[in-house]
Amino acid sequence: DRGGADGTMHVSDNLNEVRYSITDSPIYKRAFESLPESSVFFQASITTNLDGPDVDADTSMREAMLTMSDWSLAFLDRVYEILRAAGEQEKVGKGHSGVASRHTSVDVAQAKNFSRIMKETLCYFFSSMDDETFVSALRSVTKFLEEETLPHAAKDASLLCQAVASTRFDLSGNGDCVTDKNPGFDALMSVLAEDLEHRSNKSAIYRLRCLAGAVRFAGRAVIKHREKIISAVEYALSKPGDKHLFKTGCKLLRHSLSSQCEIYPISQCSHPMRSIVGEGLRIEGMGKSAQLHGGALIHWHVPSSEQIDFTAQLLNKFSLQRLKEMGDPLSSIVQWRRCLRVLRYSLRGCSGLLLDDAPEATMSEATEISTHEKATASLILEASTETKSTLNGLRRKLSRIMVDIMSLIANDTSYSDQKSDEMDQQMDENNARKITISSDTKICKEVLEVTSLLLTRRGSFHRVQTAKSVWRGQKEILTDFVLASGSDYASAAFFRQRNLGANSYYRDGENGGKTMSSALLVNRVNIMLHTQSRNASFQIPRRLRKRRGVTDEIASSSTLFSTDMDIKTLQLSLKCDIEESNGAEQTSLETYECLIDGLMSMACHPNINVRGTASGVVEYAFSRFPWVCKPRTQRLLAAVSLRDIDQNGEYGIPSCSKLTIQLNSQGKRDRLAEVVKGVAKIIATPKMTKELLSCEFNRFEIIQTLCGTQRLVSLLPDEEVQKVVYY
């Protein structure tokens, strides 16, 4: 690098000029002149002056881009054909019975890649338009959505709506007001959210799915349509007979929450093809690497106090009110399923907004708090008093409710099959059958999913590692391997000659073989923000444990999880106001440890599907709370060795010694086998195994336990022996 200013190593002088010198050759000029008039690159006003000394390249580029309008509408027609073909392909894939064939993992991966590429392509496509062309394209999209209903292409159609609503904001404002006006989202709302009651279920599902895509990155423009959003969600969740419509309403609720309480970049500003001309604005040249400084004009959506209030309103109306309704003694199993599903989707959208303590206490924390906690607390402090009251300690309160539900399930499943059948037939004083949520697989799985979100999720976006892998692949595509190989050869030659000098050589610029677009650069910053949210799920538990101290940890080492719970007590607790829920004397960390005990009890559930799901959630929870493994090792080993006669329900594990005398209707100890398999899978988790092998005493203890299982094996049913030995 002769200049020594840009940090780029040149393989030779003026390398790019040499590579593109063909554009100055007579052969290239004659080929350009021979282009037909129908060609996009044919410019009659310039082709006659190609041999002249001064060729206006900017005018040539501007003339070529004049064809953007007609081409963009033709491209949209091709997109519509892809959406129509998606429905036809789904119909062809069905057999004679009308049931679609099973999709393999390869099909799922291909569908995800197609969706990702389509979303990025459409974002680039709409961002590159001028205002006049965007108006024509928006008119075409709204007409397509209004005239056609493609249920099998609802997901891809939602990506089209997402690109329209996330790539055109009024950037004339300054600061935080750049996302208030969104003409694309306003036009889509008038089509997708109107007259849903008079449409068929398929048509309503299609439009609500498209609306969920449109609202996902629509910014503050959602606020002025809040009544329509609430009405659409309320309509979808009020249809008990259609589970697909109900699920679509849950997705709309999730995306509405995340769009109002999350930070994300504005796609319109991060795509370099659309030039913004104005006073004091600098236009980057094409082919140059993007920068975040020097007037880069990258805008981000940052939630306002009004948006936080709207988020709390949605959360209170559709999730917290339903939790109170579950306290009604006449509530059915279906109502429990739907309530827990709505709560799960709500947490997927706004879990990053739920703090462990009050925002004032978080900001005044003596120990070091994470960046995510500090940012979230500052947002909540700007909200209204009602919103602060709703969000204050909500994560701990919801965790306490999940603990109570899992306590009831553990209490019901601790009985033998024969005794459980007798309990199911009992009648209460109203001569109505008691509901038994412990035997419902769907309710148990929803409880496990909600518990996993409360323990490990601190933001709506959680697939950070996948996003990083995709970003690295996109970055590699930008590498000019011919130029990079030449640069490597020259660098190796300099190194062999020890002619490196005091400077370091990098290939980080256009002349070095790479060009970093602004979209790729902003996406990397966005991934960094998501990484901070993920890291908060590790940092916050450690901070809470540090605040508790070693002395209090030893004092609270005994289990706080209890199986003394019945359905009446649980319903009475749910019927009360959530702010008055029990367990207020417990700290957030103690409540989370109770949740882990509840998960361990669910890992011993009689249903094999519930046990498998619970084992995975337990392993995931151990990654955030690794210190809970140590006090539970002796309890797990005592269960395997049948030395837990006085430890029934401790840390959520039923007493295996008591289960040895419980027989089912066939005279077999199936319940004992189920508990032992669950305990063995917990012991086999990496964190628990690491704790067991940490010292010689634990190693000797586990060897003694494994060598003393003769009595256990002799008590198990013959068909369960092989499985238990394997576990």
Side-chain angles (χ1 to χ4, degrees):
D1 182 6
R2 291 185 174 181
D6 57 358
T8 301
M9 188 184 74
H10 299 259
V11 180
S12 63
D13 294 336
N14 301 323
L15 181 60
N16 274 345
E17 287 77 0
V18 175
R19 295 181 65 203
Y20 297 107
S21 61
I22 188 175
T23 57
D24 297 328
S25 63
I27 299 176
Y28 179 82
K29 294 178 180 179
R30 285 195 297 269
F32 198 87
E33 291 176 348
S34 61
L35 288 174
E37 295 184 2
S38 60
S39 174
V40 176
F41 297 102
F42 177 80
Q43 302 295 326
S45 60
I46 299 180
T47 51
T48 55
N49 299 325
L50 280 176
D51 295 330
D54 298 327
V55 178
D56 191 355
D58 294 337
T59 304
S60 177
M61 181 65 69
R62 193 178 301 109
E63 291 289 334
M65 293 302 293
L66 288 177
T67 61
M68 180 65 189
S69 177
D70 296 337
W71 175 83
S72 62
L73 297 180
F75 182 80
L76 275 177
D77 291 336
R78 296 296 300 272
V79 173
Y80 302 154
E81 291 297 329
I82 292 176
L83 298 181
R84 297 185 186 103
E88 296 298 329
Q89 291 173 0
E90 188 71 20
K91 293 178 182 178
V92 172
K94 292 184 177 181
H96 297 289
S97 61
V99 180
S101 58
R102 291 183 178 272
H103 297 291
T104 63
S105 58
V106 177
D107 297 332
V108 175
Q110 288 179 350
K112 288 183 179 180
N113 288 332
F114 176 79
S115 299
R116 178 180 55 81
I117 294 173
M118 184 176 183
K119 179 180 67 174
E120 294 179 358
T121 302
L122 291 175
C123 286
Y124 273 97
F125 173 66
F126 286 103
S127 297
S128 62
M129 296 178 180
D130 54 22
D131 294 335
E132 183 178 355
T133 306
F134 181 80
V135 171
S136 301
L138 179 60
R139 190 182 303 115
S140 174
V141 172
T142 53
K143 182 180 179 181
F144 169 75
L145 295 174
E146 190 172 7
E147 295 179 352
E148 299 189 38
T149 299
L150 305 173
H152 296 293
K155 184 175 182 179
D156 294 333
S158 68
L159 297 178
L160 175 64
C161 297
Q162 178 181 330
V164 171
S166 64
T167 55
R168 192 52 50 110
F169 293 89
D170 185 5
L171 301 178
S172 58
N174 53 10
D176 298 335
C177 302
V178 296
T179 62
D180 289 344
K181 298 180 180 179
N182 189 332
F185 183 72
D186 296 340
L188 293 178
M189 283 295 301
S190 61
V191 176
L192 300 176
E194 295 294 338
D195 202 24
L196 292 174
E197 297 81 1
H198 300 88
R199 296 186 179 275
S200 64
N201 285 349
K202 287 188 176 180
S203 179
I205 291 172
Y206 176 72
R207 278 160 174 75
L208 288 175
R209 189 70 179 88
C210 293
L211 180 59
V215 78
R216 193 167 188 178
F217 299 107
R220 301 184 184 179
V222 179
I223 293 296
K224 62 180 179 181
H225 300 286
R226 64 168 69 190
E227 298 300 330
K228 292 183 178 180
I229 295 292
I230 293 176
S231 299
V233 176
E234 194 170 12
Y235 166 76
L237 299 183
S238 63
K239 295 294 182 179
D242 194 329
K243 62 180 181 180
H244 299 291
L245 183 59
F246 185 86
K247 184 177 181 180
T248 305
C250 292
K251 289 183 178 180
L252 176 58
L253 175 61
R254 169 198 167 192
H255 293 315
S256 300
L257 290 170
S258 64
S259 69
Q260 299 305 291
C261 66
E262 292 288 335
I263 300 175
Y264 46 86
I266 303 301
S267 301
Q268 179 182 356
C269 306
S270 59
H271 291 74
M273 291 184 289
R274 184 172 184 267
S275 299
I276 305 175
V277 182
E279 183 179 358
L281 303 184
R282 182 170 58 87
I283 303 176
E284 293 285 349
M286 294 184 65
K288 298 291 186 180
S289 290
Q291 297 176 345
L292 292 176
H293 58 83
L297 300 174
I298 304 298
H299 293 286
W300 293 74
H301 168 263
V302 179
S304 63
S305 58
E306 190 177 7
Q307 288 178 288
I308 300 299
D309 293 339
F310 181 47
T311 301
Q313 179 185 359
L314 290 175
L315 188 62
N316 184 60
K317 181 178 181 61
F318 296 109
S319 296
L320 304 185
Q321 292 297 330
R322 287 175 178 267
L323 281 176
K324 296 179 185 178
E325 294 174 1
M326 282 202 312
D328 189 350
L330 300 179
S331 59
S332 62
I333 292 293
V334 177
Q335 290 177 319
W336 277 72
R337 292 176 185 172
R338 293 179 178 274
C339 174
L340 291 173
R341 171 167 287 193
V342 172
L343 179 60
R344 172 165 62 92
Y345 275 89
S346 300
L347 291 177
R348 290 179 65 184
C350 66
S351 60
L353 202 61
L354 304 183
L355 295 175
D356 304 272
D357 301 309
E360 297 84 0
T362 302
M363 295 297 291
S364 61
E365 183 69 33
T367 58
E368 184 178 356
I369 63 175
S370 64
T371 307
H372 173 80
E373 285 183 289
K374 187 176 182 180
T376 304
S378 62
L379 289 176
I380 297 177
L381 288 175
E382 297 177 357
S384 63
T385 305
E386 183 180 358
T387 299
K388 295 178 184 177
S389 176
T390 301
L391 298 178
N392 185 17
L394 184 58
R395 182 182 290 268
R396 183 178 67 252
K397 297 169 186 175
L398 294 176
S399 300
R400 190 64 241 177
I401 292 176
M402 293 300 109
V403 169
D404 292 341
I405 295 176
M406 287 189 289
S407 298
L408 175 63
I409 296 175
N411 184 24
D412 290 346
T413 56
S414 62
Y415 294 93
S416 63
D417 296 341
Q418 183 178 359
K419 196 168 183 180
S420 296
D421 293 338
E422 295 175 357
M423 290 183 60
D424 291 343
Q425 302 300 327
Q426 289 179 355
M427 301 293 176
D428 59 10
E429 61 274 7
N430 296 326
N431 201 26
R433 185 185 177 191
K434 294 182 179 180
I435 61 171
T436 53
I437 63 175
S438 58
S439 59
D440 191 87
T441 305
K442 294 183 178 180
I443 290 181
C444 293
K445 286 190 174 182
E446 291 292 347
V447 171
L448 291 173
E449 293 290 342
V450 172
T451 303
S452 177
L453 293 174
L454 292 172
L455 285 175
T456 62
R457 189 74 65 86
R458 298 286 172 171
S460 61
F461 189 87
H462 63 286
R463 297 177 179 174
V464 179
Q465 300 301 326
T466 303
K468 285 183 179 180
S469 301
V470 173
W471 186 86
R472 293 189 189 99
Q474 293 174 337
K475 183 180 178 183
E476 288 297 325
I477 294 176
L478 300 177
T479 302
D480 189 331
F481 291 99
V482 177
L483 186 60
S485 62
S487 178
D488 287 335
Y489 179 80
S491 178
F494 292 150
F495 183 78
R496 287 194 297 268
Q497 296 178 2
R498 301 183 181 276
N499 194 21
L500 288 175
N503 297 324
S504 300
Y505 296 92
Y506 303 96
R507 302 193 311 272
D508 59 350
E510 178 191 6
N511 291 327
K514 289 185 180 180
T515 303
M516 183 73 70
S517 67
S518 59
L520 200 61
L521 184 62
V522 172
N523 190 23
R524 186 65 184 89
V525 178
N526 195 31
I527 292 175
M528 182 269 295
L529 293 176
H530 294 320
T531 304
Q532 287 188 343
S533 299
R534 179 181 180 272
N535 293 339
S537 64
F538 295 90
Q539 297 170 356
I540 294 175
R542 290 197 296 263
R543 179 180 63 81
L544 295 177
R545 187 193 182 203
K546 183 178 180 181
R547 184 177 65 181
R548 182 172 64 180
V550 179
T551 305
D552 295 336
E553 182 172 348
I554 296 175
S556 63
S557 59
S558 60
T559 178
L560 298 174
F561 183 80
S562 173
T563 58
D564 187 14
M565 177 66 64
D566 54 34
I567 186 64
K568 290 184 178 180
T569 305
L570 177 60
Q571 288 177 337
L572 182 62
S573 175
L574 292 173
K575 198 172 182 179
C576 299
D577 196 353
I578 191 172
E579 283 126 5
E580 300 174 359
S581 61
N582 58 353
E585 68 280 358
Q586 292 184 0
T587 63
S588 298
L589 187 57
E590 291 174 344
T591 306
Y592 299 152
E593 292 175 348
C594 285
L595 278 178
I596 296 177
D597 293 339
L599 292 175
M600 294 174 66
S601 70
M602 297 291 283
C604 303
H605 195 273
N607 187 279
I608 184 174
N609 295 322
V610 177
R611 284 202 309 271
T613 305
S615 299
V617 179
V618 168
E619 182 177 357
Y620 197 39
F622 282 167
S623 64
R624 268 65 174 182
F625 302 85
W627 61 87
V628 301
C629 296
K630 184 175 182 179
R632 288 158 177 79
T633 54
Q634 296 300 320
R635 174 67 187 92
L636 294 172
L637 295 180
V640 176
S641 58
L642 302 180
R643 293 182 288 103
D644 57 348
I645 187 65
D646 297 328
Q647 298 178 347
N648 184 34
E650 185 175 341
Y651 296 120
I653 306 297
S655 174
C656 292
S657 298
K658 291 184 177 181
L659 291 176
T660 57
I661 61 175
Q662 293 186 4
L663 307 177
N664 62 3
S665 58
Q666 299 176 352
K668 297 181 179 180
R669 299 178 179 86
D670 287 341
R671 187 71 187 108
L672 175 63
E674 293 162 354
V675 173
V676 172
K677 286 187 289 187
V679 170
K681 291 196 71 173
I682 296 176
I683 295 176
T685 56
K687 292 292 183 181
M688 188 63 70
T689 304
K690 182 180 179 181
E691 181 63 34
L692 286 171
L693 302 179
S694 60
C695 64
E696 294 299 328
F697 176 80
N698 289 343
R699 287 172 180 262
F700 180 73
E701 186 75 15
I702 192 173
I703 291 174
Q704 263 191 331
T705 302
L706 294 177
C707 293
T709 55
Q710 292 86 352
R711 180 170 178 265
L712 173 64
V713 173
S714 65
L715 294 173
L716 295 174
D718 295 339
E719 62 272 13
E720 298 289 346
V721 172
Q722 185 177 2
K723 298 178 183 178
V724 171
V725 171
Y726 170 75
Y727 285 132

